[in-house]
Amino acid sequence: YSNRIAEGKFNLEGQEYTLAVNNGVNHIHGGLKGFDKVVWDAKTILNDSTVSLELSYLSKDMEEGYPGNLKAKVTYTLNNEDELSVIYEATTDKPTIVNLTQHSYFNLTADFNQDILGHEIVINANSYLPVDDTLIPTGEFREVNKTPFDFRKSKAIGKQINDENAQLEIGNGYDHCWVLNDQDKGLRFVASAYEAVSGRLLEVYSDKPGIQFYTGNFLDGTLPTKSKGTYQIRTGFCLETQHYPNSPNQDNFPSVILNPGNKYKSKTVFRLSTLY
């Protein structure tokens, strides 16, 4: 389960399950050895206009405290239109909870020594999920109108990130889930990022109900880059399409329960282009 689950606990069919507490008092990103830390079976699929990487993994019953033998598959496909699509699939033999996403850090300057505060962001959402002081959603759906969380029109990340705002202070910036519009339309435009100097534009399309916009507030210089440096605060941002954090403990959030005989399937597309 990507993102946070309060106190590492959830109930399913009358049984309480206990997960690792690895983010303060909460559970995050699947536990001590989440899906980002396991070895997946991989194969490539080559077609005339696409190339795909298909990743498969069997998460055995009670791995990291989650019930069910979960067969998960993630397929990354790059096409000739500069689109990277990500398809998530899963099946289970026992009722369980599933919320899969990716946590890629973007910096459209292509230089992770530069911060991302000048990037202009659009998020197609009229509301977001305010959080408590441990970054767990309170259950409220709060309107973005007249707040620093309004990205319905293009706005630089840095324009209001340091405003006096209780929610920004809790997250040390943006680290919240937005409630995406048009959830009944399936795959649709949900967000974009633009960097004016390079002209690079990233557009995001998804069928998920939420998107976690995170501005690298906890990057502290300890994570190494590919160029022998380290990632500093706010040198990368994330647009994580997903279900809402702590959904198993919030009756008013969309269900994340997967039952035997059903299939979890979701798609997100990252479309890259340049504007000059």
Side-chain angles (χ1 to χ4, degrees):
Y1 192 94
S2 65
N3 216 313
R4 294 173 176 87
I5 294 178
E7 300 179 354
K9 296 181 185 297
F10 69 94
N11 282 279
L12 185 60
E13 295 193 332
Q15 182 174 345
E16 184 177 79
Y17 292 91
T18 301
L19 311 172
V21 173
N22 59 331
N23 183 245
V25 298
N26 301 316
H27 173 87
I28 194 169
H29 297 333
L32 301 176
K33 193 175 181 181
F35 280 4
D36 60 316
K37 298 179 179 68
V38 299
V39 178
W40 295 60
D41 293 325
K43 70 176 183 178
T44 55
I45 303 170
L46 303 176
N47 293 308
D48 290 340
S49 59
T50 63
V51 57
S52 299
L53 173 65
E54 183 183 282
L55 302 172
S56 301
Y57 179 68
L58 172 62
S59 178
K60 294 184 179 180
D61 185 30
M62 298 311 295
E63 178 180 336
E64 287 290 339
Y66 290 89
N69 291 296
L70 187 83
K71 294 181 179 179
K73 184 169 73 172
V74 182
T75 306
Y76 291 85
T77 300
L78 182 65
N79 65 22
N80 289 336
E81 284 71 52
D82 298 317
E83 295 174 335
L84 179 67
S85 68
V86 189
I87 295 177
Y88 308 89
E89 300 172 84
T91 58
T92 183
D93 61 357
K94 288 171 60 177
T96 192
I97 59 171
V98 183
N99 183 28
L100 303 180
T101 190
Q102 53 73 44
H103 200 294
S104 301
Y105 283 95
F106 293 100
N107 186 325
L108 299 182
T109 69
D111 179 3
F112 277 91
N113 291 314
Q114 297 189 41
D115 67 44
I116 43 81
L117 298 178
H119 287 63
E120 298 173 23
I121 301 293
V122 173
I123 302 176
N124 183 26
N126 295 332
S127 58
Y128 76 102
L129 302 177
V131 295
D132 64 19
D133 58 5
T134 71
L135 294 172
I136 292 291
T138 63
E140 176 191 354
F141 293 73
R142 185 175 296 177
E143 294 289 322
V144 300
N145 189 40
K146 297 181 180 179
T147 77
F149 292 82
D150 191 352
F151 286 93
R152 291 174 296 179
K153 295 183 179 179
S154 182
K155 182 176 70 177
I157 293 174
K159 184 174 182 179
Q160 293 181 284
I161 198 170
N162 294 316
D163 281 11
E164 289 188 13
N165 178 280
Q167 286 295 306
L168 290 176
E169 291 172 7
I170 290 171
N172 195 31
Y174 298 107
D175 189 9
H176 296 73
C177 188
W178 271 252
V179 179
L180 293 169
N181 295 337
D182 306 318
Q183 295 187 13
D184 59 339
K185 293 184 179 179
L187 189 72
R188 77 284 190 203
F189 171 81
V190 296
S192 67
Y194 175 66
E195 203 281 310
V197 176
S198 66
R200 295 187 180 102
L201 173 68
L202 170 69
E203 298 171 280
V204 185
Y205 298 78
S206 184
D207 54 18
K208 291 287 185 71
I211 191 167
Q212 186 85 7
F213 176 45
Y214 172 53
T215 47
N217 314 312
F218 302 114
L219 293 174
D220 58 4
T222 59
L223 186 66
T225 69
K226 294 180 180 179
S227 57
K228 298 183 180 180
T230 57
Y231 293 104
Q232 303 296 320
I233 187 171
R234 295 178 181 167
T235 54
F237 66 89
C238 303
L239 292 167
E240 308 163 49
T241 54
Q242 59 185 258
H243 273 266
Y244 309 150
N246 200 38
S247 288
N249 298 311
Q250 292 281 2
D251 292 337
N252 61 327
F253 288 180
S255 175
V256 292
I257 296 172
L258 178 65
N259 288 308
N262 295 335
K263 186 175 185 177
Y264 174 99
K265 188 170 185 179
S266 180
K267 183 176 183 179
T268 293
V269 177
F270 300 96
R271 179 179 296 170
L272 294 154
S273 60
T274 54
L275 299 176
Y276 292 104

